[in-house]
Amino acid sequence: MIRACIFDVFGTLVDWRASIAREAQSLLAPLGIALNWGEFADAWRQQYQPAMDEVRSGRIPFSRLDDLHRRNLDVILKAYGIEHLEEATRRDLNLAWHRLDAWPDVADGLRAIRQKCRVAPCSNGNISLLVDLSRRNGFQWDAILGAEVARAYKPSAVVYLTAADAFDCAPEETLMVAAHSSDLAAAAAAGLRTAFVARPDEKGPGLGETTPLTPVEFSVQSIVELAERL
Amino acid sequence: MIRACIFDVFGTLVDWRASIAREAQSLLAPLGIALNWGEFADAWRQQYQPAMDEVRSGRIPFSRLDDLHRRNLDVILKAYGIEHLEEATRRDLNLAWHRLDAWPDVADGLRAIRQKCRVAPCSNGNISLLVDLSRRNGFQWDAILGAEVARAYKPSAVVYLTAADAFDCAPEETLMVAAHSSDLAAAAAAGLRTAFVARPDEKGPGLGETTPLTPVEFSVQSIVELAERL
């Protein structure tokens, strides 16, 4: 019996790429900066796993994702030759990750799933980031779980297990929902059940995962479909 | 400017004494046990601070409140000479703390405050306990903060500061709301702003605090009144 559903957020619930491209353009274009905004979003996101590896490996202590995003932003602004940006602009641009838009099925699907079981994000994003995304997009949770509560980053098993445990659920009573096979493989290895949601345009048109590359219990096209099948 | 309100729960938002008395009676009276149920609730609650002191002092590692409540329950059942209770009954009775009823002003007041700022419980209760209380009573939060996230118990300053920080708020942007002067004094010492809510019947008719014994910024009769004054 599934008693809790926990959700990856970036890519699975929100369209980070189009949103970051839009936010970057809206802040930087008025300063006379012209870029391929989608590629800028990709470049920023490419720094994401290496930055978390610094934490996962123990080379740096646990840091909230907002702080890692900021380190990564400074790296890519330098790579793009945009080094004259004021501190206030850098700070505002970094908060673009708090202003991402959801895929259209998510708010309705979460509301339906919350009628059936406990729900929380299980994201590498920090609590305040998830609070802002949830208010913006009408996500209603029972709790905010994930990296900041576990003080570790996915795919470390402790992140999934801490989330299940916070809900008083055994791993096998907990369903991890994600658009990324690697996230689901790690959750399954920790004993959780898994659901794959296809987000074919996550990394740009046609560049997201369309089918899971790892065994899963559910494979769906939307959170609404998952709600119907639970 | 207040950007976040964080709330004590037992006594401030929910009537633990009448609820525990009711739950204990409903589970134990059918077994032929006759007690003064209000006094039984008091006896169980009296074990609360000493059990947390074991954690605060470092004599035992951080434990969730559900586990402390269970230790305390076994102590008082022994004191009452009720030692024949089955394990399933003890477990169910311990979960009485997940089935407490709110004071009548709370759900409306929280809803109004959430229109103005971020809201979370900052309780010594564990996450799953707060999830159950929130679902039962229609509390809607931005996140569940408090002891389990900070891995420490109030009145340790780290609990208040971890809650403010999780919301990206400075202590002085964060309002701690409680019916207990000791909780508010500790929050103020950590740099937070404070609001006292009178719960005159918390510990039995006329036995709760009616006025704050420490300086506070707001002193109100209900969460609805606090919402109006913010």
Side-chain angles (χ1 to χ4, degrees), chain A residues 118 128 132 135 140 168, chain B residues 118 128 132 135 140 142 168:
Chain A
R118 298 171 175 204
S128 64
D132 283 339
R135 282 190 170 241
Q140 198 52 80
D168 283 347
Chain B
R118 297 171 176 206
S128 64
D132 283 339
R135 282 190 169 240
Q140 197 53 77
D142 287 301
D168 282 347

Side-chain angles (χ1 to χ4, degrees), chain B residues 19 51-52 57 71 77 82 85 124 126 133 181 195 200 214 222 230:
Chain B
S19 303
M52 287 189 297
S57 67
R71 271 170 50 139
L77 287 176
I82 309 172
L85 273 195
N124 283 331
N126 44 288
L133 292 183
S181 297
T214 188
S222 72
L230 283 179

